[in-house]
Amino acid sequence: MSRNATPPIATGRSKIDSAAGWTVVFSAALATFAVFGVAYSFGVVLAEIQTEFGLGTGLTSLLFSISTFTFFVLGVFTGRLGDRYGPRRVLLAGAVAFGAGLWATSLANNIWVGIATYGLGVGFGVACAYVPMVSAVGGWFERHRTSALGVAVAGIGLGQLVGAPVVKRLVADYGWRDTYQVMAIVATGLLLVAAVGARRPPNVAPQSDLPSMGRLMHNRRFTRLYLSMLLLSASLFIPIVFIDKYVTDGGGTRGAFLIANIGLASMLGRLGLGALGMVLPLMRLYQISYSVMGLSYLIWLFADDSFTALVVFTFVMGSSYGGFIALSPAVAAQLFGLTGLGSVLGALYTAAGVGGLVGPPIAGLLIDSYGFSVAIVAAMCTALASVPLLVATARTPAVPLETVGSAEQSPTASSAPRTPTAAGRDGSAPPATISGLVTTATAMGPRQVDSVMLLSFGGPDGPDDVMPFLHNVTRGRDVPSERLTDVARQYMRHGGVSPINAQNRELLHALSIELDRRGHEIPCYWGNRNWHPLLGDTVRQMALEDRNHAAVVTTSAFSSYSGCRQYNEDLEQAAAGTPHAPRLSRVRVYGNHPGFVGAAAHRIREALDGARLGSGVHTVFTAHSLPLSMAAACDYEAQLVDAAENVADLAGLEGHVEVAYQSRSGPQHVRWLEPDINDRLVELARQGCRSVLVMPLGFVSDHMEVIVDLDTRARATACRAGLTMVRAPAVGTHPLFVAALADLVEETAGLRDDRPALGDLGPRPDVCAAGCCGIRTRA
């Protein structure tokens, strides 16, 4: 072991689930407490503003409605601003807008000025305080994410619980104008304090390339869920805005208590139904929340002057409202998948914005013209009308917008380290270098394997890396410049960051933990063919740290020139260029290993169960297409067909199973493997197929090619053809796959004599034959 090793370099991964993250949580809770404590207390100010300006209830409620609409719609954009500039800057901008909006409203000399200042200022402030802060909390946690988000959004209910009585008292003592000036100062101060702890997550997930809002609305499942949320939202803000006026008109004085009760009940509902959603059918609970919210208006309708009945109504309504808020993200994830969930929720939340924009003003007009009873009945009917749409949503054939792994997947990092990487031993993710990390490691097995290397393709870490990376990839190949521009554009849509980097970290980390569980104290490294950490740098570091023999795991499960022979050449070149380089023994190709096949089968079952599709669905497995000259020099096609049949058997698929190809990138005159997945989807639709399951069998993770070629292009093709496409995720970090890789490392170390393989082709050799996977002209 080298004595001059460099100490480990800490990375953002070590900060995940740390105390620093909880600081962000409490900052988010404080921010949401401040803005929603004011926004959801509007009902106790409504009568004062209405009286001063001599207006109707409907027109006055526009202040609340426009601010709500602004908040929900702008939340989509403030979330992106938070990703780019960090939550602190966005929160500071929101604090200024929120305080200025309230202060300007207090000085308004007519309702239209008030609508502009309150609606836009407060709406923008809430959008800056809620979406970016909650998104930041999600990026700081993995194991405790649910709890952390629960604490962060608890500020909403707490703000309503505290804000309404406080604002009511201030209005009674000082009037609504002075109250808004006081609230401007207090809320701005609280937001400035919250900004101190508002920190960018150490790992920022790249944005998914999801369809536009217009294309989303062509998805029947999305459209039905959107309309159901719109109808429910049109009714749910009515008690928040008008319950105090209802009590005041009846001679009562405790309307602020009822608004606070809604806040308290919503907190309990978030916790209660959110917890039940972990053990009971999620969609059923969601439908119950909708139904209970609609039916609760019956209590209000027959409450008359009974304050007790109003307390019961606000508690029941608030509990179901809290459940609706708590369950919505989980329902969206179940219906549309995990990747890009924030974007999907942002699009769905515009429905709440539209509902909040039209619901209270219409209710106010009904109150002015016909009284509260008509308005309550209208609110109830609107809420209940959302239930059949929600039921229809669950019964609509699933078309997940994107699908990645399940609980094994974690937030991805925004940038990869520029040095070789090894996995930690303490449950943390890999630090940037293992130098000095494992000083007592012992060699494995009779072949004295003393290290593991994950060898992968690589990807850019930021916008400045995109074109250099693509030039590395295409060096020596006749790739048209317009193709490079198109690919670069796809990376830029994801911030110039490739998901493959974080996926490799996750896989290396999981493999390290599995080897450690088996008692192998062995360091794990990471090297790439095309980008940092480059393979040559990794091998040089291993040599400096006195590694003698490494088992090399590649992220390619099947044999082809780029997935087999080229990796062998890369290893030979790196070893030849490094004095005292360790021996580099690549594990055998594993596309028919039971662990890989079993993980793929499990992913398919997850996708089928989530989409409520039967085993008779038509299934298309995809892999990277190859020029025919490459395919002719290997049994790539045969391996894929054999693996597809193995996966189908384990998954219990009863429908037709086939292999198609994706990601063609060469000149048009060069013939490549076919059929292309897009052509095949169109053909299947013409043949009368209505649903198809697609799985990227040829890829071990859902990296950029999978996202772009399947989740964007193929899904758009399926949509245009009228075909329901359900996408199963790649194996990723599925425990069966990770265990399979650990088995292969043990094989390479000479610790295992069994060489398990499924199908007709048998286990692949440890050492490739001379001239394997070359390039020749197909006969």
Side-chain angles (χ1 to χ4, degrees), residues 517-771:
R517 186 188 67 80
R518 299 185 183 194
H520 305 310
E521 291 290 333
I522 186 168
C524 297
Y525 295 79
W526 169 31
N528 288 324
R529 171 185 293 162
N530 297 301
W531 203 248
H532 306 281
L534 292 169
L535 173 60
D537 295 334
T538 302
V539 173
R540 282 188 286 275
Q541 182 177 348
M542 296 172 74
L544 287 173
E545 296 179 359
D546 295 334
R547 304 305 172 196
N548 297 311
H549 188 188
V552 180
V553 177
T554 66
T555 54
S556 176
F558 300 95
S559 300
S560 66
Y561 173 74
S562 59
C564 180
R565 182 171 179 175
Q566 191 175 7
Y567 276 129
N568 292 340
E569 294 172 350
D570 293 337
L571 291 169
E572 293 172 2
Q573 182 178 358
T578 304
H580 310 295
R583 177 185 174 189
L584 303 173
S585 298
R586 183 183 167 190
V587 306
R588 64 183 170 97
V589 173
Y590 49 80
N592 60 356
H593 191 287
F596 177 82
V597 174
H602 190 264
R603 294 299 195 207
I604 284 177
R605 292 311 316 176
E606 289 178 331
L608 291 178
D609 293 344
R612 297 185 180 181
L613 289 178
S615 299
V617 66
H618 192 112
T619 302
V620 180
F621 293 98
T622 68
H624 201 300
S625 186
L626 299 178
L628 296 188
S629 58
M630 288 186 184
C634 61
D635 59 351
Y636 181 69
E637 295 170 273
Q639 290 180 43
L640 286 168
V641 171
D642 186 59
E645 293 174 349
N646 296 332
V647 173
D649 289 341
L650 281 185
L653 296 178
E654 300 172 355
H656 185 75
V657 174
E658 60 179 297
V659 176
Y661 297 94
Q662 62 176 87
S663 309
R664 175 186 171 135
S665 60
Q668 291 300 315
H669 68 273
V670 177
R671 295 182 62 195
W672 286 57
L673 289 176
E674 295 177 344
D676 178 82
I677 179 61
N678 293 281
D679 296 337
R680 188 62 185 136
L681 290 174
V682 172
E683 186 177 358
L684 288 173
R686 289 174 179 170
Q687 294 172 356
C689 182
R690 291 292 175 264
S691 299
V692 62
L693 174 70
V694 176
M695 181 188 184
L697 183 64
F699 304 88
V700 302
S701 66
D702 290 326
H703 51 62
M704 189 67 71
E705 284 181 310
V706 175
I707 292 173
V708 173
D709 291 330
L710 296 185
D711 295 331
T712 301
R713 293 174 177 165
R715 195 173 301 286
T717 298
C719 183
R720 288 192 298 268
L723 187 65
T724 298
M725 173 182 155
V726 176
R727 214 266 282 174
V731 293
T733 55
H734 192 285
L736 289 176
F737 177 50
V738 174
L741 296 183
D743 290 346
L744 293 169
V745 170
E746 290 180 335
E747 277 187 29
T748 303
L751 292 173
R752 301 177 68 97
D753 294 328
D754 60 321
R755 297 169 59 80
L758 299 178
D760 300 329
L761 301 181
R764 311 302 294 178
D766 287 335
V767 180
C768 296

Side-chain angles (χ1 to χ4, degrees), residues 116-204:
T117 56
Y118 188 93
L120 299 180
V122 172
F124 181 74
V126 176
C128 291
Y130 181 54
V131 178
M133 289 300 297
V134 172
S135 298
V137 169
W140 273 96
F141 291 87
E142 288 181 9
R143 287 173 294 173
H144 305 297
R145 184 177 298 144
T146 301
S147 301
L149 286 171
V151 174
V153 300
I156 300 174
L158 185 61
Q160 190 173 353
L161 175 65
V162 174
V166 170
V167 172
K168 184 75 172 181
R169 181 61 180 269
L170 288 173
V171 170
D173 292 342
Y174 305 105
W176 72 271
R177 293 183 182 274
D178 288 344
T179 295
Y180 270 3
Q181 292 183 2
V182 171
M183 298 304 293
I185 296 171
V186 173
T188 302
L190 292 176
L191 291 175
L192 293 177
V193 172
V196 175
R199 299 173 58 189
R200 185 192 298 270
N203 298 322
V204 181

Side-chain angles (χ1 to χ4, degrees), residues 31-42:
T32 54
F33 170 86
V35 294
F36 284 101
V38 175
Y40 282 177
S41 299
F42 177 80

